[in-house]
Structures are given as C-alpha cells and as structure tokens.
Amino acid sequence: MALTRRELLRWSGLLTGAATLGGLVLWQRRPGAEGPLLLSARNDTDGHHYAVGYYLNGRKAFATRVPERCHAIAPHPFLPVALFVGRRPSTESYLVHLQSGELLHTLHSQPDRHFYGHAVFHHSGEWLYATENDTTDPGRGVLGIYHLDGLQLRHHDEVPTHGIGPHELAWMPDGDTLAVCNGGIRTEAESRVEMNLHAMAPSLVLMQRDGQLISKEMLAQAKNSIRHMDVASDGTIVTGQQYMGELYESAPLLAIKRPGEAYRAFPLEEPQRQMMQQYTASIAIHSELRLLAMTAPRGNRFFVWELDSGKTVVDAPMQDCAGVSAVREGFVVTSGQGSCRGYDCSERGVPARVSHLDLPAGLWDNHAGLLV
Amino acid sequence: MRLLTVATTALLLTACGAPQRHVITHLADNVLLPAHQHWADSNRALAERARQYCNDETDLNALHSAFGNARHQWAALQPQLVGPLSEGNRSWQVQFYPDKRNLVARQAEELLDTHPQLDHAQLAEASVVVQGLSAFEYVLFDDSIDLPAQRERYCPLLIAIGQHQQQLAQDMVDLWQQPEGMLVQLKAFPNERYAEPRDALADILRVQITGLDTLKKKLGTPMGHLNRGVPQPFQAEAWRSQQSLDNLRATVEGAQAIWQAPGVRELVSDDALATRIDDAYTDVLTRLDSAPAPLIELVQDSAQKDWLDALYDRLNTLHRLHQNELAAALDIQIGFNANDGD
C-alpha cells in the first residue's frame, strides 16, 4: 500500500515516537527479496507461546515469546507492526515489530472484558477493533475500540456486536463497515466452557464501526456457531461454522452472503461436508483467482473451491490443518501437527500443485496472516 | 516468488527418514492393510451368513458367530484407523456408539415400519444410526426381539446391513490398494497426504493413542465416570451382546500389533520406556484374562468395583505411556488445534 502525502503528514507524530523505539520505518506492502512474510501464533513442544514471522523460504524473521497463547493477527495497514491477539479468554494481546520481533506493547483488555482472538486495524492505521466478551453478562459481544497513540494502543470506546460470543471480524470493501461473526456461545471469564448449548444464538452482523447495526442474519440451526470468515474484494462474505450438535447430524458448515443477497449455505456435497467433522477453522478468499479455501482440522482436510461455481479445486487430507492465507498463486496452509503446504491454484483446469514448505512442522495456531 | 521454488522435497532424505520409512512400510504391508482385509473378509462372511440364515440355509449360531467375528475385527481395527475409513462418517456407518438415547432401537423399528421390504439402496439413504453393527446387534440380541419367530420383519434389515458393511469394507480396501491409494501414500513421499515418513509415522501413532484413549471412555462411561460415579451399564459398547470386554481386548491387541511391529520398538532409544510399555500391555491383557463376568454385570456389582478400577488404572497407564512418554520420545505432536481449537 503506497502512502499518500496526507497520510505521511498524519503519521508524522507516530513516526517521531517510533524513532525512539528502534527506528520504525514505513512498511510498504511490496514483496521483499524473501517474498511474503507469514505471521502466526505458534507454540513450542514445551507449551510456550510465541508470536512468529517466517518467510516462505523457511527463514525465521522472528519468534517472540509471549505470556499467553495468541490466535489471529491484525497487521497494521502500513507500519511494520501487528497485533497478535490473545486467544479466548486471554486478557492480553501483543503489538510486535515485524522486522525485529520486538514486543512493543502489551495491550490489556478492560476490566470485565477478555479478547476473543480476533481484531482488525482500520485502514487509516489509527484505530483497532477487537471482539471481546462482557464477562458481567457472559457472552454479550462487544467491540473494543482502541486508538494507536505512538506505539501504544489505548482503549477509546466500545460498542455492542449485536450478538453473543463474537469471534472473527473483517472489513467490507468500503473499509468502514465491519462484518462480525457472532458465534452464539456464552462463556465466562477465564473459561472456555460453553454455557448455553441449548440456547445458542449465532449471527452474521454487518455494522458500522461506530456500532450502528446494518443487518443481522442467522442460519437455520441455532447450534451452528458462526466463527470465521473472509470477505472478497467484491464484498462477498464467506463464513465457516462449528456445529455444536451431534457428529452424525447435518449442518451447513460453510455459508455465503453475496453482495445484495441473503446469507445462505454454501453448496457442499454431503460426503465433503461429512469430512469436516462439524468443525471448520480458517477461511481465506483469493479475490483475484475467485477461490475459497478452508481448513477442517478435526477432519484433517483442506479444501479449495471456486467461489462462484462452488466447484471443488482441492480436497486433500492434511493433518490438523490450521491457518490458511492467500498468496499470489494460491494458498499457504499451516498445520498444528505436520508440515506446512503451498497450493498453486493459478492455472484453471489444471489440478492444483502442492508443495511442502520448508517451515517448522506443527504447533501453528488456527490462523495465519501473510504480508505480501 | 513461486511456491514451488520454496518446496523442500529433500526433507525425506534426513538421517532419521530411512528407519522410519522401513518401519512404516512394514506396518502398512503387514499390519494395517491386513487388518483392513480381515475386517472386509469378516463383513463378507457376515453378509453371506445373514443371507443364508434368512433363507434357512444356516442356523442362528452361525449368524452369531459371523457377527462376533465382524465385531472383533472392527474393534481390532480401531487403533489402526489411518486413512480413508477414519474420514467422513464412515466409521459411524460401521458402528453407532455411543448411543446415549437408544436411537438404534428406535430408528431401526421406525425404518422397518416405513420400509417393510427394506433393501440395501434404502438403507444406504437412511441414517448412519441403522447402517451398521449396532443395529445388527440390536436385532440379534435385544430382549424385545425373538428373531427366529420374527425373521420376516427383521431379515430385510440384517441382509441390508450385511450388504452395506460388505460394500463399505470393500470400498475401503480398494481405497488402500488403488494407484496412489493409502498403501502408496505410506511408502512414497512426499504425497498428497504426507510430506515425509515422519508425518506418516506420527499419524499412525496418533491413531493408536486415540484408540487407547477411546477405550478409557468405553470402560469409564458404564462405570459411571461421567455420571458422578453412578454406573451406566447401558452406555457400554456392545452391552446387548455382552461383548464389551472382548471388544476391549481386541482393540488393545490391535494397538499392541503396532507397538510390536518390527522396528517400532527400536525407534525408542529409551529401553526402560520400551520395557514399561511392553509391561503395560501385558498388565491390561492379563487383567482381562481374569474378567469374572461381562462388563454390564460387573458395573452393576459393587463387589467388582476394585477389579474394574484396577483395569481402568492399567488402561490409563498404557494410554498415558503412549500419549506422554512415547510421543515425546518420538517427538510427535499430539493434538493441537484439532483437539483444542477455537
């Protein structure tokens, strides 16, 4: 992303502060000599938690040990920093320098709040929005709004997410409207135990970043928790569900909301749906190739479909497949247990080509962000 | 940068790859594929006995025996379920367990009410609850059914289940043996499933460990571990046929077959650990040899609580040796996102 003069002026204050913190320089989103940088939360075999960045050639950019396990990553739109967001019910998230790996700032949630593992920076670079739990009313979803002040994120406000147990959120193409997955599950502070499996209320919400509700849509089954998502450049939203009912029951584990259309199940063949074991993890849309990728770690299965036709492009076994992110020619997929893979899907009509990447195997958390 | 230029196919040439590859080849050829074939053979026999029984060509004992063998082969296969049979809802099609709400009985009766002349195609479209061994067992052993007197009603279901299991099992063996099938994926790396031998070995051992963990649930649930100590005899696997402990033994022996396959033990440099695992298998199997009664009776007899607790403890020791120490010794990651996602 190239900076305008106006943006440069607006950020002069921040950059001045940054200079005292190790020479932070503007980060233009052009591939460097080593290509895209893969960002993820990761563990080591002793159970320690890390915020990591690896180039796809295997070189480690950084692996910064952090106190609590993180989940997803919110990269800043043009500074070389990213927030590694604490996994629920964590009360900490970590702002990390993407070149040095330095932990610049630990963001603590407000009293009676914890993070749900996902956050996004606004395109202005000034604001961060994080899904959070109001533990005084367990499960009531709020969007914590933080202002980036120097290299400190300061709590500014919060607004409701208009649902229970929010999880992933993403910007719509206008850059000011947020799509939020309200998972529908109530959990208490310091707990991951579901309290309301017989009264779940998942929803897909579109809202303005000031909190104003635009739309709220549900799927047919209340036990079908809407958790993860991606948004295509044309505004198509795809969500991945985790069904909290029985394994042998049938529930749509992918759903789609095309621009101007209702939210509905993404068509899947039943054997493919059964492969997912009622659990989907990461969703990634490749807007240029019009492809949709999804990981199903309980089913040990990785999928890619054509976004418009629903035709299967990849349906492959992959142990504990975790994060997935789009790269120019396809997708990169990480794993909690095995090696990471690249799928080249760039040639239509030709089977996708898989490569096993020279990245550390296993212990990657469920989301991966790629800075390309 | 093209993805393919950063692929590392040389991984398989690492120093530890060669012994692992040899061990996996042996496991695939001599343990895993044969277990699938034995299971398929037992289902072929089950289908044939069901057809013969319903045509007055054999007796009920022969059908019971065929069922017992199919059940035994399935139990033995469970700690070896790598590949196609572990995917999708296929294992549910073989056996519906746990059956917390007695769905098997209810749905089997409903299916026969709506389809008195049930055939295989209709069963294939029905719920997994009634497609497998659990429904077959219900017909053979439930007290409410007098099969010799009610063959007209129940034979269509027995025959259809037999055909369904035979077909499913043969499909699985085919998926193992086809070009680029599971057998090849355990021998030629990298492939669609595994990057290197290490990934395949880890998968095999994870399945073995899951099989042992599942046994703890199969024993602990009827003992009342999930019910504040109050026994739940009808939550035992195979309670109708009283084959619960036979199944348990078969699964332990299936796990042991992996451990005892040539080369596996040698991958563990800690001899003391290997000996403890040997002993743990012996302890569980010896304990099972002394079982005083079927599990459904044992859990309802307070005098047998110590015996059951001792069996559970030995099973727990066996499981934890694999889950913790063997996995660590072989540097295998056990569950991460799959078991503890978000």
Side-chain angles (χ1 to χ4, degrees):
Chain A
M1 175 177 179
L3 279 179
T4 64
R5 177 178 170 76
R6 187 176 166 192
E7 285 171 328
L8 272 170
L9 289 172
R10 190 195 305 166
W11 282 92
S12 59
L14 184 147
L15 292 170
T16 303
T20 64
L21 285 166
L24 199 66
V25 293
L26 288 173
W27 172 273
Q28 296 196 30
R29 294 289 186 77
R30 287 200 298 262
E34 294 187 276
L37 178 64
L38 179 69
L39 304 175
S40 182
R42 193 164 180 262
N43 271 19
D44 67 15
T45 51
D46 294 325
H48 299 129
H49 311 302
Y50 294 82
V52 305
Y54 278 85
Y55 294 100
L56 297 185
N57 63 9
R59 191 176 80 77
K60 180 172 69 180
F62 62 90
T64 303
R65 189 165 164 183
V66 291
E68 298 199 10
R69 182 172 168 182
C70 297
H71 189 54
I73 297 92
H76 190 277
F78 47 83
L79 292 174
V81 298
L83 188 74
F84 287 72
V85 189
R87 178 175 178 266
R88 73 183 167 104
S90 173
T91 56
E92 294 184 1
S93 294
Y94 309 100
L95 192 69
V96 173
H97 191 300
L98 299 182
Q99 290 161 325
S100 68
E102 182 184 358
L103 174 58
L104 300 170
H105 169 55
T106 296
L107 175 63
H108 297 275
S109 60
Q110 295 294 292
D112 301 319
R113 301 287 183 271
H114 70 67
F115 296 115
Y116 270 122
H118 290 268
V120 288
F121 271 104
H122 185 244
H123 63 83
S124 69
E126 289 184 73
W127 302 98
L128 177 108
Y129 299 82
T131 49
E132 299 176 7
N133 187 5
D134 173 1
T135 55
T136 65
D137 178 8
R140 186 181 81 88
V142 298
L143 201 60
I145 303 175
Y146 299 85
H147 185 248
L148 185 62
D149 184 4
L151 286 177
Q152 303 279 309
L153 281 159
R154 301 196 188 285
H155 189 259
H156 174 78
D157 197 1
E158 73 175 23
V159 293
T161 66
H162 309 283
I164 296 170
H167 201 64
E168 190 161 13
L169 73 172
W171 293 109
M172 296 299 288
D174 66 10
D176 285 309
T177 302
L178 282 164
V180 181
C181 294
N182 284 306
I185 299 175
R186 294 187 188 276
T187 50
E188 295 178 293
E190 301 176 8
S191 171
R192 293 171 57 81
V193 177
E194 304 90 355
M195 301 166 62
N196 65 330
L197 290 182
H198 296 288
M200 288 172 54
S203 61
L204 172 66
V205 155
L206 292 181
M207 58 186 283
Q208 293 178 357
R209 66 189 179 108
D210 64 3
Q212 186 177 334
L213 178 66
I214 297 172
S215 66
K216 180 173 181 174
E217 295 177 87
M218 276 76 82
L219 295 170
Q221 288 153 294
K223 286 191 175 181
N224 206 10
S225 181
I226 302 165
R227 302 190 73 78
H228 296 112
M229 68 187 327
D230 200 4
V231 180
S233 58
D234 71 345
T236 299
I237 304 169
V238 176
T239 65
Q241 281 76 250
Q242 295 172 4
Y243 184 65
M244 305 303 288
E246 301 291 345
L247 268 174
Y248 54 86
E249 293 174 339
S250 182
L253 297 174
L254 271 180
I256 188 164
K257 179 174 175 59
R258 298 185 191 276
E261 296 184 10
Y263 181 47
R264 63 183 58 149
F266 185 85
L268 290 176
E269 293 179 7
E270 184 60 11
Q272 207 167 55
R273 195 198 63 77
Q274 289 169 351
M275 284 287 184
M276 301 171 189
Q277 303 282 321
Q278 311 290 38
Y279 189 95
T280 67
S282 276
I283 304 282
I285 293 176
H286 197 304
S287 291
E288 290 72 31
L289 296 176
R290 298 293 291 173
L291 295 174
L292 163 66
M294 192 207 74
T295 57
R298 291 192 180 161
N300 299 310
R301 207 85 184 172
F302 174 65
F303 300 93
V304 179
W305 301 270
E306 291 183 359
L307 184 61
D308 299 312
S309 69
K311 181 182 170 192
T312 301
V313 176
V314 175
D315 177 351
M318 182 171 178
Q319 287 293 313
D320 202 15
C321 48
V324 57
S325 191
V327 288
R328 190 181 66 187
E329 54 281 278
F331 297 95
V332 166
V333 197
T334 62
S335 168
Q337 292 178 342
S339 61
C340 301
R341 299 182 185 180
Y343 281 87
D344 185 336
C345 310
S346 57
E347 292 185 55
R348 284 292 163 102
V350 174
R353 288 176 293 176
V354 60
S355 51
H356 297 280
L357 302 176
D358 193 11
L359 292 163
L363 297 161
W364 296 79
D365 211 282
N366 263 346
H367 298 283
L370 265 173
L371 289 184
V372 296
Chain B
M1 177 183 293
R2 302 291 294 180
L3 283 170
L4 291 177
T5 64
V6 295
T8 304
T9 52
L11 284 171
L12 58 90
L13 300 176
T14 54
C16 64
Q20 288 190 356
R21 181 193 290 262
H22 184 72
V23 167
I24 295 162
T25 296
H26 183 89
L27 278 167
D29 286 337
N30 299 308
V31 178
L32 303 175
L33 177 59
H36 282 75
Q37 289 170 324
H38 294 326
W39 170 66
D41 291 345
S42 72
N43 280 300
R44 196 174 306 115
L46 180 67
E48 179 64 8
R49 291 293 171 277
R51 188 194 62 74
Q52 289 173 338
Y53 175 74
C54 292
N55 287 322
D56 269 336
E57 295 170 12
T58 193
D59 61 18
L60 191 55
N61 287 336
L63 184 57
H64 279 186
S65 175
F67 172 78
N69 190 39
R71 168 81 86 180
H72 179 89
Q73 298 299 340
W74 168 241
L77 187 56
Q78 285 178 58
Q80 302 177 11
L81 274 188
V82 288
L85 187 48
S86 68
E87 297 168 348
N89 72 348
R90 288 164 179 152
S91 65
W92 284 95
Q93 291 182 51
V94 181
Q95 179 185 29
F96 186 78
Y97 176 82
D99 182 11
K100 299 174 200 164
R101 290 175 285 172
N102 201 19
L103 290 179
V104 168
R106 199 182 327 148
Q107 292 197 15
E109 296 298 337
E110 288 171 0
L111 183 66
L112 290 172
D113 288 344
T114 54
H115 297 86
Q117 302 303 317
L118 181 75
D119 62 22
H120 181 202
Q122 291 167 329
L123 184 76
E125 292 297 312
S127 163
V128 292
V129 173
V130 293
Q131 289 178 340
L133 299 178
S134 303
F136 205 102
E137 180 192 38
Y138 164 71
V139 173
L140 281 193
F141 293 100
D142 196 85
D143 287 344
S144 67
I145 296 173
D146 179 3
L147 185 57
Q150 294 177 283
R151 284 197 295 183
E152 192 174 343
R153 176 170 173 82
Y154 291 105
C155 268
L157 181 57
L158 293 179
I159 290 172
I161 292 174
Q163 291 171 330
H164 191 73
Q165 295 303 305
Q166 181 181 354
Q167 183 67 57
L168 176 66
Q170 189 55 52
D171 288 347
M172 294 305 102
V173 171
D174 290 347
L175 285 173
W176 268 76
Q177 294 183 309
Q178 71 187 17
E180 301 191 27
M182 190 65 195
L183 197 61
V184 172
Q185 290 176 346
L186 288 168
K187 295 180 177 181
F189 306 93
N191 56 62
E192 186 195 40
R193 190 178 294 268
Y194 304 117
E196 51 180 335
R198 175 191 166 75
D199 287 350
L201 186 66
D203 194 16
I204 293 167
L205 290 174
R206 274 194 293 267
V207 166
Q208 182 204 31
I209 292 166
T210 300
L212 292 172
D213 188 30
T214 303
L215 282 189
K216 287 163 59 181
K217 296 186 178 72
K218 289 181 176 179
L219 181 61
T221 302
M223 287 171 67
H225 287 188
L226 302 179
N227 195 37
R228 293 189 290 274
V230 178
Q232 295 180 291
F234 302 113
Q235 292 302 311
E237 182 187 43
W239 63 269
R240 288 185 171 96
S241 59
Q242 302 195 349
Q243 289 184 338
S244 310
L245 294 178
D246 297 327
N247 285 357
L248 200 149
R249 166 182 279 282
T251 302
V252 172
E253 289 174 342
Q256 189 181 35
I258 292 175
W259 169 244
Q260 292 184 336
V264 172
R265 208 174 179 287
E266 286 67 33
L267 294 174
V268 181
S269 56
D270 181 348
D271 287 343
L273 172 60
T275 301
R276 286 162 62 209
I277 294 173
D278 288 339
D279 292 346
Y281 276 110
T282 303
D283 283 350
V284 172
L285 293 171
T286 303
R287 192 74 186 168
L288 284 168
D289 286 341
S290 68
L295 183 62
I296 190 171
E297 294 176 17
L298 292 175
V299 299
Q300 298 179 84
D301 181 355
S302 58
Q304 299 296 343
K305 185 172 184 310
D306 288 348
W307 189 90
L308 283 168
D309 285 343
L311 175 62
Y312 188 90
D313 287 347
R314 292 177 188 199
L315 204 51
N316 191 37
T317 298
L318 180 65
H319 170 243
R320 295 181 81 83
L321 277 170
H322 285 73
Q323 166 108 10
N324 300 333
E325 300 190 44
L326 179 61
L330 298 177
D331 193 22
I332 290 169
Q333 172 64 31
I334 304 295
F336 191 57
N337 297 305
N339 292 339
D340 190 21
D342 210 343

